Amino acid sequence: MPSPLDLRRRIRSVDNTRQITRAMQLVAASRMRRAQEAVQALRPYATHIASLVERLVRATGEERLPVLLRPRPIARTAYLVLTTNRGLAGPLNSNIVRTAAREVDAAPPGVEVSLVVVGRKGHVALRGLYDLTAVFTDIGDQPSVRDITPLTTLLVDGFASGEFDEVRMIYPEFVNTLTQRPTVVRLLPVVLPEEFESTRDEDIIFEPDPHVVLEAIVPRFVEMTVYEAFLELAASEQSARMVAMRAATDNATELIESLRLAYNKLRQSRITSEIIDIAAGASALADA
Amino acid sequence: MPSLTLTVVSPEREVLRCDGVSLVLAPAIDGQIGILPRHAPLVTQLAPGTLELRRNGDVTHLSILGGFLEVSNDQVTVLTDGSERADEIDLARAESAREAAQRTLDESRHTHDDVLTTQARLALLRALARLRTVERAQRR
């Protein structure tokens, strides 16, 4: 049976933990808002570049498409796996790692696999299981496009030089605060926009000419896609952490309540027995 | 009188949206181009440099770190890796970025590190685009 002092100590310790988890919850909430704003801020650029790529593809014609747009037989697939650097984000990273492992294990026989991992959590979880081609753990949780350039350059150059024939990206899609869905998309060769119709556009002048502009814009498009995934990762990380920390705070509150109940019961029973003692002593004196 | 609507967007933000523009001067990849209202539909690649726009006699300068420009139905859209209005540019920072890039470039010449050289050259172009934009804005 714990002493009242032990109980008081435990209450204080749980309360300290609760203060930390609550602070983390609030910080995550405000960072999540910022991350969502960044996702919104990318929208105009993303829509424009996608429609531009589509029109350029149409103007270039299928025979002259840049190598980044051309599918080819797959001998080696590279997976880009996005995870966070920090933990305390609920099941976010383990879900991504599990999805990655399932993807990699499901690769058709004869296809070699390279893994490019972003984030310390993914690195720690995957390094024992697979050979990692490259690891990036120095990209912050509010990256700029320039921060991810070394990563996209690695992938684009690797694909262009034939080092791998396909690049797939695995990241947590931010659905809403409660849901982050592990998502697998093909990054390279670039998935062409749906409506690949041959209706002729108004006569657009392309300077220098369509296929040169297309060659220049496709790496940007890939970069934008990766950047978008980073923003989704950031929003997912913060919201997962917010939810996890709220759960921790609630648990701490519950724990404190039950500890306090136990403490009060104990205190009450001590007081009661003291009163009984005193009363008994007093009545013994009165009887005498 | 017809006029242009100019939109400049980077992945991080919409830098500028402006109606009633009468002229856009842009650093296209093979030379400066001028765009007036009723321009034919055009898509071109941009080099790092300065974008200039005129509106009711006012002139605004923006630095452009390379990108793409599209004209269609008097809508001018600039997609850029990064862009700042002249009054947003931190001159001291741009100057020190230029020096740092120049230094890296000189050093990497000796080591023959291609990646580093390319990166330094791009950084230098970006810093120069900023500095020249401020210069041009001040000259007026």
Side-chain angles (χ1 to χ4, degrees), chain B residues 45-100:
Chain B
Q45 202 183 337
L46 296 180
T50 305
L51 186 87
E52 184 176 325
L53 71 105
R54 304 228 170 120
R55 179 172 183 264
N56 304 331
D58 284 349
V59 184
T60 309
H61 293 88
L62 295 122
S63 67
I64 295 283
L65 311 179
F68 304 89
L69 176 142
E70 184 187 8
V71 188
S72 148
N73 294 324
D74 282 342
Q75 301 281 327
V76 182
T77 312
V78 174
L79 296 174
T80 172
D81 303 340
S83 168
E84 288 162 306
R85 282 199 313 276
D87 52 11
E88 290 175 331
I89 294 171
D90 182 338
L91 205 54
R93 240 187 79 198
E95 184 60 48
S96 69
R98 187 189 67 81
E99 278 163 21

Side-chain angles (χ1 to χ4, degrees), chain A residues 41-42 44-45 48-49 52 55-56 143-146 202-208 212-213 216-217 220 227, chain B residues 9-14 29-30 39-45 65 68 70 72-73 77 79-81 119 126 130:
Chain A
L42 176 66
Y45 184 90
H48 268 116
I49 199 167
L52 210 49
R55 267 170 299 162
L56 282 161
S144 71
V145 179
R146 210 164 306 149
E202 39 178 342
D203 285 314
I204 305 176
I205 312 165
F206 293 98
E207 291 286 346
V212 173
V213 183
I217 206 170
R220 286 284 167 275
Y227 178 63
Chain B
V9 287
S10 77
E12 275 102 8
R13 64 189 179 131
E14 188 178 279
I29 193 94
D30 33 31
H39 196 285
L42 166 78
V43 172
T44 181
Q45 202 183 337
L65 311 179
F68 304 89
E70 184 187 8
S72 148
N73 294 324
T77 312
L79 296 174
T80 172
D81 303 340
Q119 276 176 357
R126 284 194 298 262
R130 287 206 182 92

